[in-house]
Amino acid sequence: MKLVVVGGVAGGASAAARVRRLDAYAEIVMFERGEHVSFSNCCLPYHLSGTVASSDALVLMTPEKFKKQHNIDARTNSEVIDIKRDEKKVVVKNLLSGEVYEECYDKLVLAPGANPIMPKSIAGIDRANVFAVRNVTDIRAIKAYMDKPETQNVVVVGGGFIGVEVAENLKEAGKNVSLIEGANQIMAPFDYDMVQILHKELDDNGVELYLSSTLTAIEDGFVKAVKDGEEFTVKADAVVMAIGVAPETTLAVKAGLEIGETRGIKVNHHYQTSDPDIYAVGDAIEIFNAMTHKPGRLALAGPAQRQARAAADHMYGLHHNNKGYIGSSCIRVFGQNAASTGLNEKAAKAAGFNCDSVMVLPNDKVGLMPGAHYMVFKLVFEVPTGRILGAQAIGMGNTDKRVDVIAAMITMGATLEDLKELELCYSPVFGTAKDIVNFAATVGLNVLYGRFKQVHVDQVRSLVESGAYIVDVREENEYAAGHLNGAHNIPLSQLEERMHEIPKDVPVYLHCRSSQRSYYAVCRLQSYGYTNVTNISGSFLGISLYEYFNDKKLGRTPIMDKYNFK
């Protein structure tokens, strides 16, 4: 068999390598229009700060290594410009010499990836100081420009993975960094209540964040943007565009292959296109969302590698169980690690799920251990089944570990009951005896079964401003360090003798630092006949994290006398 692969990196290179493992006699030719056929695109932003010291280290495999190690003919600077499906040939242009030639194939894999979106509607988008991040060549050009002494003020446009990572690394490199995002939050996989922690982290580390803002023009020394109809300017010696990517479908469209409703190349269970001899994998394709049962796109390296393996296996008659994707990802934002999987609450509701969520903030390891820190964990579940729909975790500890557990549970169709009983590793230096994920499951079950009522952090402002009766069950010294305006301090340790102070004829909302002690108080009050008590999910720490950035940026009246994040 002769295999031709269009595009390298995670998808194309993985398909070629898998075919070689299955067939020592196959002739394999891989075309890459860039100068590098295999590189770590996920590590590209980390070259800007020097975390990855040399750009050469980003290149994982050269054409010479592909030939020597795998007997794969990898040709760089070679663009496939046409597919002659009836002749089973591709037309290739050597971008260095200009030569155009044809290459025949038995099977063809398309892995052209996706292109950064560069809107022509933005005046100045073609200026020499405007960059996008796609490959090693791009990151070298950005690094060279950033290393100029006169490049001090940098605007990053887009608050997704690439934009946030570029902003962090440029700040670490000593630049004045501003981040402009069109939505009211960065990092769409996270719910609004969770992402405030990342907003605060960027702000704490000196990244100027402009949300709900649209870039309109790039000029000499500054950019123009609009928010709520009002124009403003931001100093900019350089601009990095990271507002998203569009699947590279030019070749597929030209060849008459079917395109899906999300504008990616449409593929079947085996990643075959509408031409059964042509497969497609990676960022350019439309795939199946296992949560919503709808088509979608996912620009991540892990899924691309699995797709590539499945496509290669199918060529040789090997079975593949295509379960679709659930969308698991993680990112580091300065000192905070953030991870998510499945559907966030906003997406679940938009998809028509009847769902609820819980937010817990326990320590990520036993509190006596050095480095113990709170972790904010949000678990989304279906009502009334308790089926787990998604999770998000942010903290200084191993958020990816916790979210990976939930990803596995979602894949297996698990419920809160399953998660509650899940046996996990434990040592004081790694976690707690009841791990965060088990803890979240028990809280979720209490809510699901109606054992107590809860309100979420985004509802607290209206409660405070309306004069609701709020009880803070933390100790007096904790209350003095910061509390909600108008809250009544009745510590859990004094609840028995002061219970008479809590009314029974109006709604009462309780909180502590992380919702655990207030849950104990709710249970005790309910045992004494109180039916009007509600626990505040996330409690004081969650409220502080939620409100802080918005209060600071929007100029709102704070709902607490002072913030306390300890």
Side-chain angles (χ1 to χ4, degrees):
M1 184 186 78
K2 182 174 181 179
L3 173 69
V4 168
V5 179
V6 180
V9 201
S14 295
R18 177 61 174 170
V19 167
R20 173 57 71 225
R21 293 195 298 273
L22 294 172
D23 185 354
Y25 299 99
E27 182 182 354
I28 306 173
V29 182
M30 182 163 50
F31 294 106
E32 168 58 49
R33 66 183 175 186
E35 59 179 312
H36 303 104
V37 71
S38 179
F39 56 90
S40 179
N41 49 1
C42 298
C43 289
L44 292 174
Y46 296 93
H47 179 51
L48 299 176
S49 62
T51 301
V52 177
S54 170
S55 62
D56 291 338
L58 295 166
V59 180
L60 304 178
M61 289 283 286
T62 63
E64 293 75 21
K65 282 188 177 181
F66 268 112
K67 187 64 177 177
K68 290 180 180 179
Q69 295 184 12
H70 303 292
N71 193 23
I72 293 173
D73 182 3
R75 305 177 193 176
T76 56
N77 297 299
S78 299
E79 182 178 6
V80 175
I81 57 176
D82 199 5
I83 302 172
K84 296 183 176 181
R85 290 169 54 191
D86 54 343
E87 301 178 45
K88 299 189 75 171
K89 292 180 179 178
V90 295
V91 180
V92 186
K93 181 178 181 179
N94 185 313
L95 298 179
L96 299 180
S97 67
E99 175 194 4
V100 176
Y101 62 96
E102 295 181 348
E103 193 80 32
C104 64
Y105 66 84
D106 295 313
K107 300 291 183 183
L108 176 65
V109 173
L110 301 180
N115 294 318
I117 297 172
M118 304 287 283
K120 296 298 182 182
S121 59
I122 299 175
I125 193 73
D126 296 323
R127 293 175 67 98
N129 65 335
V130 181
F131 303 91
V133 180
R134 187 182 186 189
N135 52 39
V136 177
T137 303
D138 291 338
I139 212 69
R140 283 174 174 166
I142 296 172
K143 182 72 162 61
Y145 202 91
M146 298 301 168
D147 285 346
K148 294 180 178 181
E150 61 268 29
T151 306
Q152 292 299 317
N153 302 304
V154 185
V155 168
V156 179
V157 186
F161 288 94
I162 296 297
V164 171
E165 289 170 346
V166 166
E168 175 187 354
N169 281 276
L170 287 175
K171 190 64 185 180
E172 295 285 1
K175 304 302 177 182
N176 302 318
V177 180
S178 299
L179 179 61
I180 297 176
E181 166 57 46
N184 66 346
Q185 68 168 81
I186 63 169
M187 298 304 299
F190 294 86
D191 280 314
Y192 188 75
D193 52 2
M194 292 290 289
V195 83
Q196 301 306 322
I197 307 167
L198 301 183
H199 290 168
K200 178 180 182 299
E201 187 70 8
L202 288 171
D203 188 66
D204 287 349
N205 284 276
V207 175
E208 193 67 33
L209 189 56
Y210 297 91
L211 299 172
S212 302
S213 302
T214 303
L215 182 73
T216 58
I218 303 168
E219 301 191 12
D220 189 16
F222 64 95
V223 301
K224 291 181 179 178
V226 174
K227 180 177 182 178
D228 298 329
E230 296 188 7
E231 186 177 81
F232 63 93
T233 61
V234 182
K235 290 182 180 179
D237 302 315
V239 176
V240 180
M241 297 295 298
I243 63 175
V245 296
E248 174 51 87
T249 59
T250 305
L251 188 60
V253 170
K254 189 176 181 181
L257 300 178
E258 188 174 354
I259 303 299
E261 60 184 84
T262 65
R263 307 312 302 161
I265 302 171
K266 191 169 185 177
V267 294
N268 67 9
H269 182 95
H270 306 293
Y271 302 102
Q272 289 171 295
T273 67
S274 50
D275 185 326
D277 289 321
I278 302 177
Y279 296 75
V281 299
D283 298 355
I285 72 172
E286 177 180 272
I287 51 180
F288 175 73
N289 187 316
M291 305 298 297
T292 64
H293 295 173
K294 294 180 180 179
R297 291 189 285 111
L298 187 68
L300 292 174
Q305 290 184 341
R306 294 194 299 275
Q307 295 158 15
R309 180 185 179 95
D313 284 355
H314 185 255
M315 296 175 197
Y316 288 86
L318 300 178
H319 176 72
H320 164 67
N321 186 9
N322 189 336
K323 293 186 175 182
Y325 73 92
I326 61 173
S328 301
S329 60
C330 59
I331 188 173
R332 186 197 69 193
V333 183
F334 293 100
Q336 297 287 342
N337 304 317
S340 68
T341 191
L343 299 175
N344 60 31
E345 192 169 14
K346 179 181 178 180
K349 290 179 178 178
F353 285 96
N354 183 19
C355 65
D356 204 344
S357 68
V358 293
M359 178 187 291
V360 297
L361 296 92
N363 282 343
D364 52 17
K365 61 183 73 174
V366 172
L368 295 175
M369 293 293 106
H373 197 265
Y374 68 83
M375 182 180 293
V376 186
F377 188 88
K378 182 174 183 177
L379 186 64
V380 183
F381 54 90
E382 186 179 46
V383 177
T385 66
R387 181 163 66 102
I388 300 169
L389 299 178
Q392 302 152 59
I394 302 178
M396 297 176 68
N398 295 328
T399 57
D400 57 332
K401 166 187 171 182
R402 273 61 184 220
V403 169
D404 282 344
V405 169
I406 304 302
M409 299 297 280
I410 292 174
T411 302
M412 301 302 172
T415 67
L416 295 174
E417 291 283 4
D418 299 317
L419 182 58
K420 176 175 71 76
E421 294 299 321
L422 188 65
E423 184 177 340
L424 299 168
C425 297
Y426 163 63
S427 166
V429 299
F430 295 118
T432 53
K434 180 189 289 184
D435 193 79
I436 292 169
V437 298
N438 304 119
F439 183 63
T442 61
V443 177
L445 287 169
N446 284 336
V447 172
L448 183 67
Y449 295 151
R451 292 170 182 150
F452 73 88
K453 295 177 292 184
Q454 69 168 358
V455 295
H456 298 287
V457 292
D458 60 347
Q459 300 170 273
V460 175
R461 172 170 287 275
S462 62
L463 293 176
V464 172
E465 292 176 345
S466 65
Y469 198 98
I470 298 174
V471 177
D472 185 337
V473 303
R474 296 176 300 157
E475 295 303 311
E476 293 170 348
N477 63 314
E478 295 176 275
Y479 180 85
H483 60 265
L484 291 173
N485 294 330
H488 304 266
N489 184 212
I490 304 177
L492 181 63
S493 60
Q494 301 175 23
L495 185 61
E496 290 290 337
E497 57 266 31
R498 296 181 60 186
M499 193 176 298
H500 63 277
E501 299 177 27
I502 301 175
K504 287 187 176 182
D505 58 346
V506 297
V508 174
Y509 302 90
L510 292 90
H511 79 83
C512 57
R513 173 186 172 275
S514 65
S515 299
Q516 189 171 36
R517 282 175 288 173
S518 54
Y519 163 65
Y520 296 155
V522 165
C523 290
R524 198 176 305 174
L525 289 168
Q526 289 180 160
S527 296
Y528 284 106
Y530 283 80
T531 59
N532 59 325
V533 290
T534 299
N535 199 21
I536 297 178
S537 177
S539 273
F540 186 78
L541 181 53
I543 300 163
S544 297
L545 291 167
Y546 179 78
E547 293 287 347
Y548 175 79
F549 178 80
N550 279 335
D551 281 358
K552 181 177 179 180
K553 291 299 179 181
L554 301 181
R556 301 186 308 190
T557 301
I559 60 172
M560 54 192 71
D561 71 329
K562 51 182 173 289
Y563 295 94
N564 182 6
F565 302 106
K566 295 181 180 178

